[in-house]
Amino acid sequence: MSAVPVTSVSVEPTSEPKNPAPRRGKTPRFGAEPSRAARYIILIVVGLVFLVPLAAMFEFSLRTSGKVGVYNFDHYVSIFHTDPATGIDYSPLFQGIVNSLIICVITVALMMLILLPTMLLVELRYPRVRRVLEFICILPITIPSIVLVVGFVPVYQKVAAIFGSDPWTLAFAVGIIVLPYAYRPIATNIAAFDLVTLSEAARSLGGNWLVVIWRVILPNMRRGVVSAIFLTVAVVLGEYTIASFLSQNTFQTALLLISQTDPYVAVIFALAALVFAFILLVLIGRFGAIDPGAREASRARRAAKAAARGAGTGTATPSSRDSSTPARSAS
């Protein structure tokens, strides 16, 4: 048997590209993520876009009529010292604010009690009609408000005959306008997780549909629902066309009437509305960022640290004392 010559083959080591380790104090960037400097520049530019008009409105509200360069808070004080005999009466404006807030509450209730259950039902039971529901909900954004008002007039004759002509009935019309703004965040949130598998898993563990929706589905849809509520409130507070053509007193229509007699007070209330919307946005953003499992995870970490500290010092933790008690009694 002849020996097979073995030739020595020299294999050169391949030079694999090495990922350079990020320098200390710097986090690596991925894809098109902007750098820290770019983020600060974008934040400053966006902040100026919002703050410059607010600062200009605040400066205008401090001006004194007929006196250039004189600033005081007289216009703010005059809001609380009305005199209908001299024509200074802001009660329609306050009534318009109350009417707008009532319309906000009713519109949000309509969205949460009708739109949200409908979307869950379609997603769980009738996924074939998902496109139809999306088309119906997106359709109002393609129709101008003035065209919708012309169509609402004969409908509101029937609505006024049944419910009266109070301002809160505008919620039925405004509810149609806010459909696209409420539908899109909820639909995006539903697409972010497997709703069908999650609900079937919860059902297989013995939960009924109410428990599954309340304790499993809604906690996973918190951000979408909160975003839908915020957009609904923002659209209702900014809606003018329908309230004006249907001759209802809301915040926007009252603000326009006040601006014709006292532009300083109108600017003060407009500034207050913008600040309220900003605070509402921050609060809703903070609420949407709350992690329901963070408290339990923090509690588990504290318990683990306490157990590790007790093991290191030789002292028994309450759980260890409980576990050792049966052993001593048995001995």
Side-chain angles (χ1 to χ4, degrees), residues 9-33:
V9 178
S10 62
V11 179
E12 297 181 355
T14 58
S15 59
E16 297 180 355
K18 297 181 179 179
N19 295 326
R23 287 189 295 178
R24 189 174 184 180
K26 289 189 175 181
T27 56
R29 294 191 293 123
F30 300 96
E33 181 183 4

Side-chain angles (χ1 to χ4, degrees), residues 61 63 65 73-99 249-270:
S61 66
R63 291 182 184 178
S65 302
F73 288 91
D74 289 347
H75 300 298
Y76 289 86
V77 176
S78 66
I79 296 175
F80 304 99
H81 296 82
T82 60
D83 187 6
T86 58
I88 304 175
D89 186 12
Y90 303 123
S91 58
L93 185 57
F94 289 107
Q95 185 61 44
I97 294 174
V98 173
N99 293 338
N249 181 25
T250 61
F251 175 63
Q252 295 298 329
T253 56
L255 198 63
L256 179 63
L257 293 176
I258 292 296
S259 66
Q260 296 174 359
T261 58
D262 194 340
Y264 298 101
V265 174
V267 169
I268 291 172
F269 277 93

Side-chain angles (χ1 to χ4, degrees), residues 3-318:
V4 177
V6 178
T7 59
S8 61
V9 178
S10 62
V11 179
E12 297 181 355
T14 58
S15 59
E16 297 180 355
K18 297 181 179 179
N19 295 326
R23 287 189 295 178
R24 189 174 184 180
K26 289 189 175 181
T27 56
R29 294 191 293 123
F30 300 96
E33 181 183 4
S35 63
R36 177 176 296 182
R39 289 199 294 266
Y40 280 122
I41 293 174
I42 294 173
L43 183 63
I44 292 173
V45 172
V46 174
L48 289 176
V49 169
F50 280 99
L51 291 180
V52 168
L54 296 179
M57 294 171 67
F58 182 68
E59 188 269 341
F60 179 79
S61 66
L62 295 178
R63 291 182 184 178
T64 302
S65 302
K67 298 180 181 178
V68 180
V70 179
Y71 298 96
N72 52 44
F73 288 91
D74 289 347
H75 300 298
Y76 289 86
V77 176
S78 66
I79 296 175
F80 304 99
H81 296 82
T82 60
D83 187 6
T86 58
I88 304 175
D89 186 12
Y90 303 123
S91 58
L93 185 57
F94 289 107
Q95 185 61 44
I97 294 174
V98 173
N99 293 338
S100 292
L101 293 179
I102 294 174
I103 295 172
C104 283
V105 173
I106 298 176
T107 307
V108 169
L110 290 176
M111 291 299 105
M112 293 301 106
L113 296 178
I114 297 178
L115 179 63
L116 181 59
T118 302
M119 294 180 67
L120 292 178
L121 181 65
V122 168
E123 195 69 25
L124 293 173
R125 293 293 185 184
Y126 309 102
R128 292 184 178 179
V129 299
R130 185 189 304 142
R131 296 298 181 190
V132 178
L133 178 64
E134 182 179 5
F135 175 77
I136 294 174
C137 292
I138 300 298
L139 186 61
I141 203 172
T142 63
I143 303 175
S145 298
I146 186 66
V147 177
L148 288 175
V149 171
V150 174
F152 285 151
V153 170
V155 175
Y156 259 79
Q157 292 178 354
K158 304 295 183 182
V159 173
I162 299 174
F163 299 103
S165 57
D166 294 331
W168 68 267
T169 56
L170 282 179
F172 298 119
V174 179
I176 297 175
I177 292 179
V178 302
L179 268 179
Y181 306 97
Y183 172 83
R184 183 50 60 191
I186 297 176
T188 304
N189 201 160
I190 290 177
F193 68 101
D194 196 342
L195 175 63
V196 177
T197 303
L198 196 63
S199 59
E200 289 179 353
R203 289 278 294 167
S204 66
L205 294 176
N208 57 35
W209 276 113
L210 290 178
V211 174
V212 171
I213 291 175
W214 182 252
R215 302 190 62 178
V216 177
I217 295 178
L218 287 183
N220 288 280
M221 297 180 60
R222 188 178 62 252
R223 291 191 176 186
V225 172
V226 170
S227 300
I229 292 174
F230 171 72
L231 291 176
T232 300
V233 172
V235 172
V236 173
L237 291 181
E239 202 287 323
Y240 170 78
T241 307
I242 295 178
S244 177
F245 276 83
L246 294 180
S247 302
Q248 297 291 351
N249 181 25
T250 61
F251 175 63
Q252 295 298 329
T253 56
L255 198 63
L256 179 63
L257 293 176
I258 292 296
S259 66
Q260 296 174 359
T261 58
D262 194 340
Y264 298 101
V265 174
V267 169
I268 291 172
F269 277 93
L271 181 63
L274 291 174
V275 173
F276 171 74
F278 179 76
I279 294 175
L280 187 65
L281 175 63
V282 172
L283 291 178
I284 291 177
R286 296 292 299 176
F287 179 76
I290 295 176
D291 187 2
R295 182 175 299 177
E296 287 75 8
S298 177
R299 189 179 303 166
R301 285 195 297 269
R302 287 197 301 269
K305 289 180 180 178
R309 195 180 303 115
T313 56
T315 58
T317 59

